[in-house]
PDB file of all heavy atoms in Angstrom:
ATOM      1  N   ALA B 654      96.220  66.593 102.799  1.00 87.00           N
ATOM      2  CA  ALA B 654      96.187  67.746 101.897  1.00 87.00           C
ATOM      3  C   ALA B 654      97.666  67.939 101.247  1.00 87.00           C
ATOM      4  O   ALA B 654      97.802  68.159 100.018  1.00 87.00           O
ATOM      5  CB  ALA B 654      95.864  69.101 102.692  1.00 87.00           C
ATOM      6  N   SER B 655      98.651  67.744 102.094  1.00 89.00           N
ATOM      7  CA  SER B 655     100.025  67.832 101.588  1.00 89.00           C
ATOM      8  C   SER B 655     100.264  66.770 100.506  1.00 89.00           C
ATOM      9  O   SER B 655     100.777  67.085  99.504  1.00 89.00           O
ATOM     10  CB  SER B 655     100.937  67.795 102.820  1.00 89.00           C
ATOM     11  OG  SER B 655     102.288  67.629 102.236  1.00 89.00           O
ATOM     12  N   GLU B 656      99.875  65.572 100.712  1.00 90.00           N
ATOM     13  CA  GLU B 656     100.008  64.480  99.751  1.00 90.00           C
ATOM     14  C   GLU B 656      99.250  64.843  98.494  1.00 90.00           C
ATOM     15  O   GLU B 656      99.863  64.574  97.474  1.00 90.00           O
ATOM     16  CB  GLU B 656      99.638  63.211 100.378  1.00 90.00           C
ATOM     17  CG  GLU B 656      99.485  61.986  99.420  1.00 90.00           C
ATOM     18  CD  GLU B 656     100.842  61.581  98.916  1.00 90.00           C
ATOM     19  OE1 GLU B 656     101.842  61.968  99.525  1.00 90.00           O
ATOM     20  OE2 GLU B 656     101.043  60.959  97.764  1.00 90.00           O
ATOM     21  N   LEU B 657      98.044  65.369  98.622  1.00 89.00           N
ATOM     22  CA  LEU B 657      97.170  65.614  97.495  1.00 89.00           C
ATOM     23  C   LEU B 657      97.835  66.727  96.712  1.00 89.00           C
ATOM     24  O   LEU B 657      97.857  66.764  95.448  1.00 89.00           O
ATOM     25  CB  LEU B 657      95.838  65.993  97.888  1.00 89.00           C
ATOM     26  CG  LEU B 657      94.640  65.688  96.985  1.00 89.00           C
ATOM     27  CD1 LEU B 657      94.716  64.373  96.508  1.00 89.00           C
ATOM     28  CD2 LEU B 657      93.250  66.071  97.771  1.00 89.00           C
ATOM     29  N   ALA B 658      98.427  67.669  97.370  1.00 91.00           N
ATOM     30  CA  ALA B 658      99.144  68.730  96.687  1.00 91.00           C
ATOM     31  C   ALA B 658     100.324  68.144  95.980  1.00 91.00           C
ATOM     32  O   ALA B 658     100.612  68.645  94.692  1.00 91.00           O
ATOM     33  CB  ALA B 658      99.606  69.839  97.651  1.00 91.00           C
ATOM     34  N   PHE B 659     101.036  67.340  96.550  1.00 93.00           N
ATOM     35  CA  PHE B 659     102.085  66.699  95.793  1.00 93.00           C
ATOM     36  C   PHE B 659     101.637  65.960  94.504  1.00 93.00           C
ATOM     37  O   PHE B 659     102.267  66.037  93.392  1.00 93.00           O
ATOM     38  CB  PHE B 659     102.859  65.794  96.746  1.00 93.00           C
ATOM     39  CG  PHE B 659     104.023  65.045  96.089  1.00 93.00           C
ATOM     40  CD1 PHE B 659     105.122  65.646  95.567  1.00 93.00           C
ATOM     41  CD2 PHE B 659     103.964  63.590  95.943  1.00 93.00           C
ATOM     42  CE1 PHE B 659     106.194  64.891  94.917  1.00 93.00           C
ATOM     43  CE2 PHE B 659     104.926  62.895  95.366  1.00 93.00           C
ATOM     44  CZ  PHE B 659     106.124  63.573  94.815  1.00 93.00           C
ATOM     45  N   GLN B 660     100.607  65.261  94.634  1.00 91.00           N
ATOM     46  CA  GLN B 660     100.019  64.515  93.520  1.00 91.00           C
ATOM     47  C   GLN B 660      99.456  65.493  92.457  1.00 91.00           C
ATOM     48  O   GLN B 660      99.771  65.197  91.163  1.00 91.00           O
ATOM     49  CB  GLN B 660      98.880  63.687  93.909  1.00 91.00           C
ATOM     50  CG  GLN B 660      99.237  62.483  94.869  1.00 91.00           C
ATOM     51  CD  GLN B 660     100.279  61.508  94.163  1.00 91.00           C
ATOM     52  OE1 GLN B 660     100.440  61.452  92.958  1.00 91.00           O
ATOM     53  NE2 GLN B 660     101.170  60.915  94.977  1.00 91.00           N
ATOM     54  N   ALA B 661      99.122  66.626  92.790  1.00 91.00           N
ATOM     55  CA  ALA B 661      98.726  67.584  91.870  1.00 91.00           C
ATOM     56  C   ALA B 661      99.966  68.030  91.049  1.00 91.00           C
ATOM     57  O   ALA B 661      99.988  68.237  89.804  1.00 91.00           O
ATOM     58  CB  ALA B 661      98.168  68.829  92.541  1.00 91.00           C
ATOM     59  N   MET B 662     100.972  68.231  91.700  1.00 93.00           N
ATOM     60  CA  MET B 662     102.312  68.671  91.137  1.00 93.00           C
ATOM     61  C   MET B 662     102.829  67.573  90.103  1.00 93.00           C
ATOM     62  O   MET B 662     103.251  67.954  88.990  1.00 93.00           O
ATOM     63  CB  MET B 662     103.354  68.975  92.097  1.00 93.00           C
ATOM     64  CG  MET B 662     103.074  70.360  92.890  1.00 93.00           C
ATOM     65  SD  MET B 662     104.480  70.996  93.755  1.00 93.00           S
ATOM     66  CE  MET B 662     104.280  69.970  95.268  1.00 93.00           C
ATOM     67  N   VAL B 663     102.753  66.336  90.509  1.00 93.00           N
ATOM     68  CA  VAL B 663     103.183  65.230  89.698  1.00 93.00           C
ATOM     69  C   VAL B 663     102.311  65.192  88.459  1.00 93.00           C
ATOM     70  O   VAL B 663     102.826  65.023  87.330  1.00 93.00           O
ATOM     71  CB  VAL B 663     103.079  63.968  90.459  1.00 93.00           C
ATOM     72  CG1 VAL B 663     103.368  62.893  89.555  1.00 93.00           C
ATOM     73  CG2 VAL B 663     104.122  64.036  91.610  1.00 93.00           C
ATOM     74  N   ARG B 664     101.064  65.379  88.688  1.00 91.00           N
ATOM     75  CA  ARG B 664     100.088  65.345  87.505  1.00 91.00           C
ATOM     76  C   ARG B 664     100.382  66.493  86.526  1.00 91.00           C
ATOM     77  O   ARG B 664     100.333  66.230  85.371  1.00 91.00           O
ATOM     78  CB  ARG B 664      98.680  65.682  88.123  1.00 91.00           C
ATOM     79  CG  ARG B 664      97.504  65.470  87.031  1.00 91.00           C
ATOM     80  CD  ARG B 664      97.625  64.211  86.394  1.00 91.00           C
ATOM     81  NE  ARG B 664      96.312  63.690  85.849  1.00 91.00           N
ATOM     82  CZ  ARG B 664      96.224  62.753  85.023  1.00 91.00           C
ATOM     83  NH1 ARG B 664      97.268  62.073  84.472  1.00 91.00           N
ATOM     84  NH2 ARG B 664      95.087  62.337  84.625  1.00 91.00           N
ATOM     85  N   ALA B 665     100.734  67.699  86.904  1.00 91.00           N
ATOM     86  CA  ALA B 665     101.084  68.775  86.056  1.00 91.00           C
ATOM     87  C   ALA B 665     102.335  68.524  85.344  1.00 91.00           C
ATOM     88  O   ALA B 665     102.449  68.602  84.076  1.00 91.00           O
ATOM     89  CB  ALA B 665     101.073  70.025  86.798  1.00 91.00           C
ATOM     90  N   ALA B 666     103.358  67.913  86.037  1.00 92.00           N
ATOM     91  CA  ALA B 666     104.569  67.633  85.350  1.00 92.00           C
ATOM     92  C   ALA B 666     104.391  66.441  84.329  1.00 92.00           C
ATOM     93  O   ALA B 666     104.961  66.591  83.255  1.00 92.00           O
ATOM     94  CB  ALA B 666     105.561  67.130  86.410  1.00 92.00           C
ATOM     95  N   GLN B 667     103.499  65.526  84.590  1.00 90.00           N
ATOM     96  CA  GLN B 667     103.247  64.504  83.648  1.00 90.00           C
ATOM     97  C   GLN B 667     102.508  65.164  82.379  1.00 90.00           C
ATOM     98  O   GLN B 667     102.770  64.764  81.306  1.00 90.00           O
ATOM     99  CB  GLN B 667     102.361  63.504  84.297  1.00 90.00           C
ATOM    100  CG  GLN B 667     102.011  62.290  83.318  1.00 90.00           C
ATOM    101  CD  GLN B 667     100.520  62.263  83.156  1.00 90.00           C
ATOM    102  OE1 GLN B 667      99.708  63.086  83.544  1.00 90.00           O
ATOM    103  NE2 GLN B 667     100.111  61.068  82.564  1.00 90.00           N
ATOM    104  N   GLY B 668     101.723  66.209  82.731  1.00 88.00           N
ATOM    105  CA  GLY B 668     100.969  66.798  81.688  1.00 88.00           C
ATOM    106  C   GLY B 668     102.145  67.499  80.649  1.00 88.00           C
ATOM    107  O   GLY B 668     102.021  67.436  79.449  1.00 88.00           O
ATOM    108  N   LEU B 669     103.168  68.100  81.203  1.00 87.00           N
ATOM    109  CA  LEU B 669     104.001  68.762  80.376  1.00 87.00           C
ATOM    110  C   LEU B 669     104.877  67.840  79.558  1.00 87.00           C
ATOM    111  O   LEU B 669     105.269  67.953  78.425  1.00 87.00           O
ATOM    112  CB  LEU B 669     105.112  69.639  81.173  1.00 87.00           C
ATOM    113  CG  LEU B 669     104.680  71.015  81.663  1.00 87.00           C
ATOM    114  CD1 LEU B 669     105.786  71.725  82.344  1.00 87.00           C
ATOM    115  CD2 LEU B 669     104.217  71.813  80.456  1.00 87.00           C
ATOM    116  N   LEU B 670     105.135  66.565  80.200  1.00 88.00           N
ATOM    117  CA  LEU B 670     105.817  65.566  79.543  1.00 88.00           C
ATOM    118  C   LEU B 670     105.154  65.163  78.174  1.00 88.00           C
ATOM    119  O   LEU B 670     105.724  64.753  77.165  1.00 88.00           O
ATOM    120  CB  LEU B 670     106.068  64.215  80.355  1.00 88.00           C
ATOM    121  CG  LEU B 670     107.121  64.379  81.337  1.00 88.00           C
ATOM    122  CD1 LEU B 670     107.021  63.302  82.343  1.00 88.00           C
ATOM    123  CD2 LEU B 670     108.407  64.576  80.859  1.00 88.00           C
ATOM    124  N   LYS B 671     103.797  65.256  78.181  1.00 82.00           N
ATOM    125  CA  LYS B 671     103.113  65.008  76.880  1.00 82.00           C
ATOM    126  C   LYS B 671     103.421  65.803  75.736  1.00 82.00           C
ATOM    127  O   LYS B 671     103.235  65.484  74.594  1.00 82.00           O
ATOM    128  CB  LYS B 671     101.574  64.997  77.305  1.00 82.00           C
ATOM    129  CG  LYS B 671     101.040  63.874  78.121  1.00 82.00           C
ATOM    130  CD  LYS B 671      99.616  64.149  78.412  1.00 82.00           C
ATOM    131  CE  LYS B 671      99.141  62.944  79.336  1.00 82.00           C
ATOM    132  NZ  LYS B 671      97.670  63.186  79.802  1.00 82.00           N
TER     133      LYS B 671
END
Side-chain angles (χ1 to χ4, degrees):
Chain B
S655 173
E656 173 61 24
L657 210 47
F659 176 62
Q660 291 304 328
M662 290 192 275
V663 173
R664 185 59 153 162
Q667 184 241 10
L669 275 189
L670 284 171
K671 289 179 180 174

